[in-house]
Amino acid sequence: MRIGVDVGGTFTDLVLLAKGRLTVHKVLSTPSDPSQAVLAAVAQTGVPMSDVRQFAHGTTVTVNAVIQRGGAPTGLLTTKGFRDVLQIRRTTRGALYDFQWDPPQELVQRRWRREVPERIDASGEVTRPPDLGAAIAEARALVGEGVSSLAICFINSYLNGENEHVVRAALAEIMPDLPIYVSSDILPEWREFERTSTTVVSAYVGPVLTEYLHRLESALRAQGYGYDLLIMLANGGLATAAAANERPAYTIGSGPAAGVLAQLALGLASDAEPIPAPGSRKASMTNIIGMDIGGTSTDISLVHDGSPYLRSDFELEFGTPVSYPVIEINSIGAGGGTIAWLDAGAMLHMGPQSAGADPGPACMQRGGTEPTLTDANVVLHRLNPAFLLDGAIPLSEDAARRAVAAVGDPLGLDVVTMADGIRRLAVSSIVFAIRQRTVERGLDPREFVIVGYGGAGPLHATEVADEMGITTVLIPPNPGVTSALGLLLTDIRHDFVTTFLKLRAEVEPAEVGAAYDLLAEQARAHLVAEGVDADRVQMEYAMDMRYVGQTHELRLNLPGPYDDEMHECIPRLFGELHQAEFGHAPELGEPLDFVNLRVAGIGKLDRPELPEIPEGGRAAPHAHREVFFGGADGWVSTPIYHRGDLGHGDRIQGPAIIEQLDSTTVITPGWTAEPDRVGSLILRHG
Amino acid sequence: MDPITLSVISNGFKSIVNEMNLALFRSAYSPVITEGRDIGGAVIDRHGRLVAQGDWDLAVFVALLEFSLKGVLARFDGDIAPGDVFIMNDPFVGGTHFNDVGVVRPVFDGDELTAFVAVCGHWADVGGQEPGSFVANAREHFQEGLRIPPMKLYIAGEPNLAVFDIIEANMRISSERLGDVRAQVGSTRVGEQRLVELAGKYGWDQVTGAMDEAIAHAERLLRSEITKIPDGRFKGEDHVDMESLDRPIPKKVALELTIDGDSMHFDFTGSDPESLSASNSTYSSTASAVYVTVKSLFPEIPMNHGVFEPIRITAPEHTIVNALPPRAISSMAATVYEKVIGAALMALSEAIPEQAVGTPYNLINLTIGGRYRDSDFVAYLFSEGGFGGRATKDGPPGLVSLYGGGAKITPVEVMERRYPIAFEEWALWPDSGGAGRYRGGVGSRKTFRIVDTSVRLSCLGDREYYPPAGVLGGEPGAKHGLIRNLGTAAEENLTLKVVGYPLQDGDTVTILAGGGGGYGDPLDRDPALVAEDVIQGYVTVGHAAERYGVAVDESGEIAAGETERLRASLRKGKTQ
């Protein structure tokens, strides 16, 4: 038996895989202590914890600690002369033309950023050993002022962590209970601001995570769970609680990353063929545009040829990077709770303000009065106008109509036209955001399928697809719990990096290989400590490099370990990557600068088979309702299906609506829906 | 037109510009474009009116693209065909300095011209006397690189090879510049495709109708804001320290702002004659600085032609705000441009005190050149500084200049690895923010040492003599500076206009980038805020007493009686 639990802002989702069957549980989140909702969901399953062999968990405690500024009071020791690296950042302004703009408050206020005389030069030599007396005095003063977690980040420590480690050792001796996070362990990569920020975020959220995981793990153990508690990381892998505590910032953004893994697993498991879009060369179930529409935002991700895009420039909020390689997800402010409003010049806008879960859309009658996308969907009857979640949340169509009319009246639009307008505007903003992502990557969206999930993704997926010329859409079996499902479909993973900074022409292959071996050893040691068998360990190698003179490096995934043959192949492989990324590449002999070496240590877990659904033949609408489809269609009497009544081989012609506990799928006219082998709905047009 | 369709199409314009820019970032060569994001894209209507910019565009460029379009239309109206692409960088027609090169593509419905898409990018070099094409002491623009008046880069889809050849023959590392041209042309092709797709969905009538309406909407919003400002005449002025080191003559930017109903008139009559150095601005750059200032005060208003309509600008010819050929202009950004902003902020502060801000610090760009590890190098280092205090809060510290837009600074660890320099300090500079009821954000102080070699140093900067002004009784931010071997017997003021100064192994250079001007009388600042500034290290104990009249010790403890006494005596000094 396996359990995946993903904590979200509103709901905590649990997916249980037992005896080849998936079951889903949804409970309200408990923000003050998220473990309560986790345990409540566990209790709902009725499964004894002693029968569970894997418990995987996606948590938001770290991201919330930053957003709500609820982390540990944190101090920072820097090299003398560099106290303000954290605050100056890269000097960028968040709003180019706005005199009222301010950067967010730094996680360590200036008074708690203290300097230590020490220095390492740009070749990695210690030119000044740390003044331990000064370091101890500063740390003592900080603790005296209430600091309970400490970050250390010295200039050039990416080349040599000695000074940081010497200071840590001296402090640990006299302050053994003070958690200390040093940058050369957290992220030994050049660029002092990004490394400092990552280290500070770690120190700020680390104690919160440690305490939370301890509490949850103890509770699970008390109920008889006998294995490691596995925590989802934003790189798409799992880690034991102990490993997660070592690099706590890796847990930030892990829930959405799990969703991307689930998309890919569903694409791979599907027996459906996508329809090639007119004019495109191919479409494939492993080219995926992920569209997760939640209450406040839409998360967009891309999987190309079966690989999610990774990036290292993730910013938790403006000017707060966490520079680990993580699955790339772009958020825009368009969700079910996003508010439609008129500006002073009577122009209609959507968001970025959201009614969120509190006060929520007007139709929920919990205090919200402004019109949201959800209200529009209620007015149009795309959502059941009476209730959501099988009746758990009653809705008021009248309240939705009143809210929508409030923006429609000044524009002279009737309530239905206005509601349809809100829907069109939301769809178009999602379309524009997806277009920008694909243009940025040089990809043709028509070669992709859309996976629509989150509570509201399946409501709008076909319309987004229509606008982009995409003809195939996949709706996961349980769209509202896709991230929780992803937790069951991945491996243990740890990424390690070292900044190498040597020209290819000036190194022997053996030297590069030896540097990779060190990283691989580190990764292997981690995995072994986590109980992974040696024959289940795999290594993935990558290198950030650039042509000499370029300012930015590009990451090349290496097809295997670094040896003589790899050394020879690198210029060709990098040239191909450069061509694919930028549309041009220099001659083969162009000198290359090797910047960062990367190793991902992967501990393969048993992947469960996704259960197959029964054959169809029972599909029949349980009701009809009038639904507004706009354009020439207008109001159409539309059959309403229960998702659970559909089986493999059934085929439903749009217009139709398919309802289930956690989501509503709209099949617009011209589209068909067919459940695939594992229960994903495959929507096709044309 | 249907208000929903209007919103969807308007969002579409913005997305089109974003997509053009993303395509450009992907394929350009100049790091100033790919990393500095020194670009501007636009959708422009068939009359040459700016319709929309994207999320990353420097407003500086966007306003200029409209002037560029005027230049194209003046030269080629009636001779614009499908497949044509125009190129230009002429500041005397519509531009900043020669490095900013614009590419414009007309968009057609069949044979009918319906719109333009344009994108401007900063090229790393455009020829001229110095690598990088910035020449602070240039006498004439001929020293600053290739001047390209509006011309056809493509004629009906075929490349005009003569233009490519002239570019290639006149710029350093010309293969990269040709890469930049191709990237810009490709980017406008993306814009054209998307605009045609939009028209395919909604029809050209709706698309051009939405252009008209988007412009009218911005104009409506700005006019309604201006109407709230009381009518009147307001003065502002600011100064460039000097034309150049060999012409140490200060230059004044004078402004009289008239608010009349729902329109504004910026009249720069009275500004000094044009410089015989590169410290000049052309009319289009001056107008751009005015638009940028207004846009920064009313950030919610979309940037398009509608914003220009209520604003009239008078800039007499042959003054530093409207220099004409053959004058040089490459120092514009660090000199006159910032002073137009300073003068405008001063005049506006009297008119709209709630939105007023102290003047921000001034752009400083340092160039360090020499030989290292057997090859020539040129390192660029800009400096971040403080922005002005505001009506309800202090100014933010340590940011890139207004002109610098979205630029990201190069990290210490990258600089030290790549160039023969080692940093000793890179930190916020206490006491450099202009004192005020709300303080200007503090600037920064950087010191680096030359390691094992000799180099030559040049700088574009200003505000050694005329610091960023405060408003409504606020005090100025700190004077900027560039000093060799600070704190030693060999200390020397290099000045911010230094050109080609030789530095030896072991010399240090300190860059002082000041803070913003303060807002309101510093004696009205809450002593608790002054104490917090002392605790956080933005203000020293001495400065707190001297400028704010607050007696506070290192721990933030305020001596109330002494504070009262200090403030009374400072007030007395001010009224005398």
Side-chain angles (χ1 to χ4, degrees):
Chain A
M1 258 183 231
R2 295 156 188 259
I3 286 178
V5 184
D6 183 56
V7 176
T10 312
F11 293 107
T12 293
D13 304 327
L14 182 148
V15 172
L16 168 71
L17 183 68
K19 303 191 183 82
R21 241 173 67 84
L22 277 179
T23 46
V24 168
H25 298 269
K26 231 175 163 53
V27 301
L28 280 171
S29 290
T30 48
S32 58
D33 176 7
S35 63
Q36 285 175 11
V38 175
L39 295 171
V42 167
Q44 250 189 31
T45 63
V47 167
M49 282 308 292
S50 51
D51 289 357
V52 175
R53 292 190 51 95
Q54 183 187 321
F55 193 102
H57 180 36
T59 174
T60 50
V61 294
T62 44
V63 69
N64 286 342
V66 174
I67 290 168
Q68 296 158 7
R69 292 296 188 268
T74 299
L76 170 65
L77 297 184
T78 72
T79 303
K80 186 170 169 50
F82 299 89
R83 177 185 187 180
D84 296 312
V85 166
L86 187 71
Q87 189 168 6
I88 294 174
R89 301 181 167 91
R90 295 288 291 277
T91 73
T92 47
R93 288 183 281 117
L96 295 192
Y97 301 100
D98 180 357
F99 284 128
Q100 300 300 322
W101 177 82
D102 286 291
Q105 181 66 50
E106 296 73 41
L107 295 179
V108 179
Q109 53 176 316
R110 193 164 194 262
R111 66 186 293 193
W112 286 348
R113 305 196 297 259
R114 304 291 174 90
E115 297 182 345
V116 177
E118 70 80 39
R119 193 68 153 94
I120 286 166
D121 73 12
S123 65
E125 294 293 315
V126 174
T127 54
R128 185 174 186 182
D131 178 340
L132 293 179
I136 289 166
E138 295 293 7
R140 279 210 167 109
L142 287 173
V143 170
E145 290 184 30
V147 161
S148 64
S149 184
L150 187 70
I152 303 176
C153 187
F154 293 157
I155 294 289
N156 290 330
S157 69
Y158 72 97
L159 290 166
N160 179 354
E162 186 181 330
N163 283 3
E164 289 183 351
H165 286 117
V166 166
V167 169
R168 177 175 52 191
L171 297 181
E173 204 162 296
I174 53 173
M175 289 175 260
D177 295 333
L178 179 69
I180 301 176
Y181 298 81
V182 306
S183 80
S184 49
D185 292 348
I186 292 287
L187 182 74
E189 191 175 328
W190 74 344
R191 296 194 172 100
E192 67 277 3
F193 166 61
E194 285 77 1
R195 192 172 69 253
T196 302
S197 173
T198 307
T199 310
V200 161
V201 169
S202 304
Y204 190 72
V205 304
V208 176
L209 182 70
T210 304
E211 205 234 296
Y212 169 73
L213 292 182
H214 176 75
R215 194 163 57 229
L216 180 61
E217 198 162 29
S218 309
L220 292 176
R221 292 227 182 287
Q223 295 184 20
Y225 179 56
Y227 297 85
D228 278 318
L229 169 61
L230 294 177
I231 304 303
M232 186 70 200
L233 307 181
N235 63 1
L238 294 163
T240 57
N245 281 327
E246 240 177 74
R247 295 194 288 176
Y250 252 122
T251 58
I252 292 169
S254 61
V260 177
L261 298 175
Q263 290 168 27
L264 178 58
L266 291 167
L268 287 169
S270 184
D271 55 341
E273 284 291 324
I275 304 177
S280 87
R281 284 165 300 168
K282 53 171 187 183
S284 145
M285 295 304 269
T286 54
N287 277 353
I288 297 167
I289 294 168
M291 184 181 79
D292 174 1
I293 309 182
T296 57
S297 65
T298 295
D299 286 347
I300 293 162
S301 59
L302 288 175
V303 173
H304 188 214
D305 285 342
S307 303
Y309 277 100
L310 296 178
R311 69 167 178 208
S312 302
D313 59 350
F314 170 69
E315 287 209 345
L316 183 46
E317 56 186 28
F318 173 86
T320 311
V322 173
S323 295
Y324 288 136
V326 298
I327 291 180
E328 177 173 287
I329 289 157
N330 284 283
S331 260
I332 61 161
T338 299
I339 291 169
W341 55 282
L342 299 178
D343 70 19
M347 181 87 89
L348 178 67
H349 302 272
M350 283 292 286
Q353 309 89 319
S354 168
D358 183 25
C363 59
M364 293 191 185
Q365 294 193 289
R366 289 193 299 225
T369 55
E370 292 176 288
T372 64
L373 179 57
T374 298
D375 294 309
N377 279 313
V378 166
V379 171
L380 300 172
H381 290 187
R382 290 172 175 230
L383 283 174
N384 185 325
F387 56 79
L388 287 179
L389 285 177
D390 275 353
I393 301 179
L395 298 180
S396 161
E397 186 179 351
D398 283 346
R401 291 178 69 95
R402 276 196 302 277
V404 171
V407 286
D409 290 348
L411 296 174
L413 299 177
D414 68 78
V415 66
V416 171
T417 308
M418 187 65 226
D420 198 47
I422 290 172
R423 179 197 62 74
R424 282 170 59 201
L425 200 53
V427 166
S428 73
S429 65
I430 293 166
V431 167
F432 293 139
I434 294 174
R435 273 210 187 287
Q436 290 174 27
R437 296 285 76 76
T438 52
V439 165
E440 188 174 29
R441 294 291 185 188
L443 303 171
D444 180 351
R446 293 173 304 172
E447 295 173 4
F448 285 68
V449 299
I450 287 180
V451 176
Y453 59 105
L459 278 169
H460 301 291
T462 60
E463 284 155 345
V464 170
D466 279 337
E467 298 247 342
M468 309 211 61
I470 291 172
T471 48
T472 308
V473 166
L474 183 152
I475 307 292
N478 300 101
V481 299
T482 306
S483 286
L485 177 64
L487 294 172
L488 300 181
L489 303 172
T490 187
D491 299 308
I492 293 182
R493 177 181 173 122
H494 294 293
D495 286 87
F496 291 90
V497 63
T498 185
T499 296
F500 189 68
L501 289 178
K502 288 189 176 139
L503 298 182
R504 175 178 174 275
E506 292 173 4
V507 290
E508 291 298 319
E511 184 186 352
V512 188
Y516 269 115
D517 288 346
L518 277 178
L519 290 176
E521 228 15 81
Q522 224 178 334
R524 196 178 308 278
H526 258 77
L527 293 169
V528 168
E530 291 179 286
V532 176
D533 292 337
D535 62 343
R536 294 191 157 237
V537 169
Q538 284 181 9
M539 295 292 161
E540 288 180 5
Y541 303 87
M543 194 189 305
D544 301 343
M545 66 184 95
R546 61 184 175 207
Y547 293 110
V548 170
Q550 285 184 325
T551 50
H552 246 75
E553 48 268 16
L554 193 59
R555 185 163 311 159
L556 176 69
N557 292 320
L558 306 183
Y562 204 94
D563 53 18
D564 291 2
E565 197 187 336
M566 187 67 69
H567 191 72
E568 288 309 308
C569 291
I570 289 268
R572 181 177 57 79
L573 294 173
F574 190 65
E576 287 166 6
L577 176 69
H578 201 275
Q579 179 73 36
E581 281 284 321
F582 300 121
H584 55 81
E587 300 287 310
L588 259 191
E590 188 74 13
L592 279 168
D593 198 358
F594 289 176
V595 179
N596 295 315
L597 313 187
R598 297 178 180 276
V599 166
I602 295 174
K604 284 294 199 193
L605 299 176
D606 288 328
R607 282 292 168 89
E609 284 290 309
L610 287 171
E612 301 200 0
I613 60 164
E615 288 301 312
R618 297 170 294 117
H622 67 273
H624 280 73
R625 73 171 174 254
E626 295 289 315
V627 177
F628 189 78
F629 286 101
D633 299 302
W635 290 98
V636 180
S637 173
T638 303
I640 314 294
Y641 294 84
H642 283 308
R643 178 87 180 252
D645 293 343
L646 307 184
H648 188 209
D650 283 334
R651 186 164 192 273
I652 291 167
Q653 184 70 44
I657 297 228
I658 300 171
E659 293 180 342
Q660 65 196 109
L661 176 73
D662 57 346
S663 194
T664 300
T665 304
V666 175
I667 321 294
T668 44
W671 286 76
T672 57
E674 295 173 68
D676 72 7
R677 195 172 64 86
V678 296
S680 298
L681 275 180
I682 306 299
L683 315 184
R684 283 182 272 221
H685 186 270
Chain B
M1 89 184 284
D2 155 31
I4 310 287
T5 304
L6 171 63
S7 286
V8 171
I9 296 179
S10 296
N11 289 350
F13 293 146
K14 185 173 175 178
S15 181
I16 285 170
V17 182
N18 284 343
E19 289 174 52
M20 282 170 41
N21 292 340
L22 287 163
L24 181 58
F25 295 148
R26 264 177 55 77
S27 52
Y29 279 71
S30 284
V32 201
I33 296 175
T34 56
E35 193 159 15
R37 303 212 150 183
D38 202 347
I39 51 104
V43 171
I44 295 165
D45 80 0
R46 64 184 180 283
H47 310 296
R49 300 183 306 163
L50 177 69
V51 174
Q53 65 174 117
D55 288 322
W56 306 286
D57 302 291
L58 301 197
V60 180
F61 285 161
V62 174
L64 287 165
L65 284 169
E66 178 157 317
F67 288 99
S68 304
L69 248 294
K70 280 200 184 109
V72 168
L73 289 168
R75 170 74 179 75
F76 291 100
D77 200 14
D79 178 23
I80 301 175
D84 285 352
V85 179
F86 300 90
I87 186 169
M88 82 218 61
N89 76 343
D90 189 344
F92 303 103
V93 171
T96 39
H97 39 228
F98 295 142
N99 294 72
D100 296 335
V101 182
V103 168
V104 176
R105 180 187 289 271
V107 182
F108 286 83
D109 172 18
D111 291 336
E112 194 189 338
L113 177 65
T114 49
F116 296 92
V117 289
V119 65
C120 186
H122 183 121
W123 292 9
D125 183 277
V126 286
Q129 178 184 311
E130 299 285 334
S133 314
F134 288 142
V135 189
N137 55 4
R139 288 281 177 269
E140 297 181 324
H141 71 71
F142 302 108
Q143 294 160 270
E144 300 175 315
L146 184 67
R147 177 180 171 195
I148 312 172
M151 58 181 67
K152 286 193 183 181
L153 184 64
Y154 283 76
I155 304 169
E158 291 302 315
N160 183 356
L161 295 176
V163 177
F164 284 92
D165 288 349
I166 285 184
I167 288 172
E168 188 170 11
N170 283 282
M171 297 179 189
R172 298 177 181 86
I173 328 179
S174 55
S175 60
E176 289 192 4
R177 301 298 78 77
L178 294 178
D180 286 335
V181 181
R182 281 194 294 272
Q184 282 179 263
V185 170
S187 150
T188 60
R189 193 173 298 122
V190 168
E192 176 194 34
Q193 277 167 6
R194 291 285 183 264
L195 204 52
V196 167
E197 278 172 26
L198 202 64
K201 183 151 192 235
Y202 295 100
W204 274 113
D205 281 352
Q206 296 245 55
V207 169
T208 55
M211 290 179 175
D212 293 341
E213 189 41 50
I215 291 170
H217 171 250
E219 180 175 347
R220 235 173 12 246
L221 288 177
L222 183 55
R223 287 200 189 277
S224 89
E225 291 291 346
I226 300 172
T227 307
K228 294 180 202 157
I229 307 174
D231 283 359
R233 288 165 189 272
F234 308 94
K235 297 242 185 223
E237 68 171 43
D238 206 343
H239 293 82
V240 176
D241 285 340
M242 61 178 88
E243 286 194 5
S244 56
L245 268 188
D246 55 339
R247 292 183 53 83
I249 307 161
K251 300 299 259 189
K252 180 169 76 177
V253 171
L255 167 64
E256 185 176 74
L257 166 67
T258 305
I259 307 285
D260 181 9
D262 62 358
S263 61
M264 311 168 108
H265 179 203
F266 290 80
D267 184 351
F268 291 96
T269 305
S271 297
D272 280 346
E274 56 195 8
S275 305
L276 297 181
S277 73
S279 299
N280 286 308
S281 171
T282 58
Y283 178 83
S284 55
S285 291
T286 297
S288 156
V290 168
Y291 299 143
V292 162
T293 308
V294 172
K295 163 81 180 156
S296 299
L297 291 169
F298 304 107
E300 302 303 327
I301 301 177
M303 187 69 163
N304 67 34
H305 178 84
V307 172
F308 310 155
E309 278 293 318
I311 299 174
R312 191 155 70 90
I313 295 166
T314 304
E317 293 189 338
H318 297 293
T319 65
I320 52 164
V321 292
N322 188 2
L324 297 181
R327 293 283 71 88
I329 40 77
S330 62
S331 290
M332 170 277 302
T335 61
V336 184
Y337 195 89
E338 301 256 14
K339 307 306 143 0
V340 171
I341 293 172
L345 285 176
M346 186 183 287
L348 283 160
S349 71
E350 301 295 331
I352 40 170
E354 313 77 44
Q355 273 125 321
V357 292
T359 300
Y361 90 108
N362 199 97
L363 173 72
I364 299 175
N365 270 333
L366 216 61
T367 312
I368 308 153
R371 271 187 88 69
Y372 182 49
R373 292 183 192 150
D374 301 327
S375 59
D376 293 330
F377 75 91
V378 184
Y380 299 95
L381 180 62
F382 70 80
S383 269
E384 67 286 357
F387 275 58
R390 298 159 288 187
T392 58
K393 51 190 178 177
D394 295 340
L399 298 169
V400 65
S401 69
L402 208 53
Y403 188 90
K408 259 184 168 181
I409 208 155
T410 308
V412 168
E413 290 173 349
V414 174
M415 294 289 290
E416 289 193 349
R417 186 77 190 185
R418 207 178 275 168
Y419 307 117
I421 60 178
F423 283 85
E424 296 186 345
E425 180 182 29
W426 184 326
L428 296 177
W429 178 18
D431 297 339
S432 65
R437 179 145 57 88
Y438 289 101
R439 179 173 52 69
V442 298
S444 75
R445 194 166 59 189
K446 304 186 175 69
T447 299
F448 61 85
R449 187 166 27 81
I450 307 301
V451 182
D452 290 340
T453 184
S454 57
V455 301
R456 292 168 77 84
L457 182 77
S458 298
C459 185
L460 289 181
D462 205 16
R463 296 211 185 279
E464 283 167 71
Y465 302 108
Y466 297 95
V471 290
L472 304 168
E475 296 184 359
K479 290 173 179 169
H480 305 12
L482 187 69
I483 298 160
R484 185 173 77 105
N485 296 330
L486 179 68
T488 70
E491 181 173 317
E492 181 188 3
N493 182 11
L494 294 175
T495 84
L496 291 163
K497 302 244 178 342
V498 67
V499 180
Y501 187 93
L503 292 168
Q504 309 306 323
D505 180 15
D507 277 348
T508 67
V509 175
T510 300
I511 313 164
L512 298 168
Y519 182 105
D521 188 339
L523 300 182
D524 293 339
R525 185 169 175 81
D526 181 349
L529 292 180
V530 178
E532 178 66 15
D533 278 350
V534 168
I535 291 170
Q536 300 290 356
Y538 297 117
V539 165
T540 61
V541 165
H543 191 81
E546 204 175 296
R547 307 310 324 163
Y548 293 93
V550 174
V552 57
D553 67 14
E554 297 284 352
S555 72
E557 191 77 34
I558 299 170
E562 178 65 4
T563 296
E564 229 167 89
R565 198 188 62 72
L566 275 175
R567 287 196 152 181
S569 110
L570 285 171
R571 274 208 182 86
K572 211 166 142 203
K574 281 191 183 184
T575 53
Q576 272 168 6

